[in-house]
Amino acid sequence: MKKVYIVFWTYTSDIDDDYCQPETSIEGVYSTEELAKQKIAYILGSTKKEEILNYIFKSNIEDISDKRLEEMMAIGLVKDIYDLYTLQIDDFLKLEKVKDKLATKMFENIQRSKEQGLAQFISAIGVEGVSIAKSEKIIAQGYNTMEKILGLDLEKMKLIEGFAEKSSVTFLESLKKKKNLITLLLKVGVKVKNDEISSGDGPLSGQKFCITGALSMERSAFEKLIKKNGGV
């Protein structure tokens, strides 16, 4: 029987387009070319699912679990993050055990996520090299709009606290790869709010806080309020 040997890589380009690092690799021997293609499709599908799940979690979209997203992808409702915003209530009714009430709730949860703060959005779309806290350091330096973030270069990044050359390159290259996704999300109605620039001064200046336990609003909202008033 003829066997097919395949090596498949997806690449992340560095600042220099001639230099690439493998992001995902698949090596193996398969009995047919069709089986090899199925393996590639499975791996790429799994990676895409993780990207969408990250967006759902970071955007605080409730009622769409890992299993439910898998079903949505399997029947072709969702292939990428921006597809979430094209769904209508009737689409959710195609899912197993989803009736009118839950379908409406899922639709409304997604619609509510259309307005996001800048730091939250950067984290949700999966830009590498930054947490929400590190995104806020960038914003604190005056880069508080999506336009300003997209205008960053290596020299500007290295002037920001917490960003050396390596982490700056990681962030900028990842952001570059996300530009098309950002454009598509804005096109389907997502609005990225300009974040306020914190001066570090205020009634909580010099005080450190640990947020824990059951909260009356999102943790990120408390963190923003503390920082706005000078706390850490």
Side-chain angles (χ1 to χ4, degrees), residues 69-84:
L69 175 61
E70 200 168 280
E71 183 186 359
M72 292 166 74
M73 295 181 75
I75 64 176
L77 289 179
V78 175
K79 294 179 181 178
D80 211 322
I81 292 170
Y82 53 85
D83 290 326
L84 292 167

Side-chain angles (χ1 to χ4, degrees), residues 37-76:
K37 287 180 179 178
Q38 288 176 13
K39 179 66 174 178
I40 291 171
Y42 173 77
I43 295 295
L44 291 182
S46 298
T47 302
K48 182 58 66 177
K49 189 183 82 167
E50 293 306 315
E51 289 177 5
I52 301 170
L53 271 178
N54 177 72
Y55 184 86
I56 288 170
F57 175 73
K58 299 287 179 61
S59 301
N60 301 317
I61 300 173
E62 298 179 353
D63 298 307
I64 301 181
S65 62
D66 184 320
K67 186 176 180 181
R68 188 158 275 152
L69 175 61
E70 200 168 280
E71 183 186 359
M72 292 166 74
M73 295 181 75
I75 64 176

Side-chain angles (χ1 to χ4, degrees), residues 130-144:
V130 289
S131 59
I132 289 181
K134 287 195 79 172
S135 294
E136 288 174 345
K137 286 186 177 182
I138 299 173
I139 292 164
Q141 293 301 308
Y143 303 103
N144 65 325

Side-chain angles (χ1 to χ4, degrees), residues 48-184:
K48 182 58 66 177
K49 189 183 82 167
E50 293 306 315
E51 289 177 5
I52 301 170
L53 271 178
N54 177 72
Y55 184 86
I56 288 170
F57 175 73
K58 299 287 179 61
S59 301
N60 301 317
I61 300 173
E62 298 179 353
D63 298 307
I64 301 181
S65 62
D66 184 320
K67 186 176 180 181
R68 188 158 275 152
L69 175 61
E70 200 168 280
E71 183 186 359
M72 292 166 74
M73 295 181 75
I75 64 176
L77 289 179
V78 175
K79 294 179 181 178
D80 211 322
I81 292 170
Y82 53 85
D83 290 326
L84 292 167
Y85 297 102
T86 67
L87 298 174
Q88 302 300 315
I89 292 173
D90 287 347
D91 292 318
F92 295 106
L93 293 172
K94 298 172 185 176
L95 302 174
E96 187 178 348
K97 297 180 181 179
V98 174
K99 304 300 181 185
D100 289 347
K101 186 176 180 179
L102 180 55
T104 300
K105 188 179 178 185
M106 292 168 73
F107 173 77
E108 290 175 347
N109 288 343
I110 291 174
Q111 294 306 303
R112 273 196 294 272
S113 74
K114 279 187 172 180
E115 288 199 10
Q116 298 188 33
L118 182 55
Q120 179 189 20
F121 182 74
I122 290 170
S123 179
I125 61 174
V127 177
E128 297 173 25
V130 289
S131 59
I132 289 181
K134 287 195 79 172
S135 294
E136 288 174 345
K137 286 186 177 182
I138 299 173
I139 292 164
Q141 293 301 308
Y143 303 103
N144 65 325
T145 69
M146 196 72 248
E147 185 179 0
K148 289 177 182 178
I149 292 288
L150 291 172
L152 281 165
D153 58 30
L154 186 56
E155 294 309 310
K156 291 175 182 175
M157 283 295 303
K158 289 193 295 183
L159 295 174
I160 300 172
E161 181 190 353
F163 286 91
E165 183 164 347
K166 185 177 179 181
S167 57
S168 297
V169 168
T170 299
F171 173 79
L172 290 171
E173 276 301 295
S174 182
L175 184 65
K176 181 180 177 182
K177 290 198 303 177
K178 300 292 182 182
K179 279 186 178 179
N180 188 51
L181 174 60
I182 292 168
T183 299
L184 290 168

